Amino acid sequence: MNIFRYPEKIPCDKRLHALMGMVVIAVGSVFTLSITILLVVLFIVAYGIEFSQKIFKWGTYDNMDAVAVMLGGLITMLPLIVRGL
């Protein structure tokens, strides 16, 4: 099995949510390098989108979408976390 084919097994929707988490952290790190603030912003964006979909009925509420946003953001924050240690 080719290891480079594994990302194709992740649904496109989840990959796009992970990309959104990466963008949130990339833009947020321009303004601050505080890991705590970036995590709070990432959490608010991830679950804010899902709760707004649930409240306004403009999309499908899925906790795994929020988890994908968080994972994408955490992957992008990895250099900041390692540097902070």
Side-chain angles (χ1 to χ4, degrees), residues 6-85:
Y6 284 135
E8 294 175 0
K9 296 184 185 293
I10 300 171
C12 182
D13 176 45
K14 303 303 183 252
R15 284 185 275 169
L16 290 175
H17 278 84
L19 181 64
M20 184 176 67
M22 291 177 186
V23 169
V24 166
I25 293 301
V27 170
S29 66
V30 170
F31 298 105
T32 183
L33 291 179
S34 171
I35 295 173
T36 307
I37 293 172
L38 289 173
L39 280 175
V40 169
V41 169
L42 184 65
F43 183 83
I44 289 171
V45 169
Y47 281 97
I49 290 170
E50 294 306 314
F51 286 136
S52 68
Q53 287 178 352
K54 187 175 186 176
I55 292 169
F56 297 117
K57 308 284 188 213
W58 59 270
T60 306
Y61 177 80
D62 186 10
N63 276 333
M64 292 310 293
D65 288 346
V67 170
V69 172
M70 295 290 289
L71 285 176
L74 288 173
I75 289 170
T76 307
M77 281 180 59
L78 194 58
L80 289 175
I81 294 169
V82 170
R83 188 195 67 151
L85 296 177

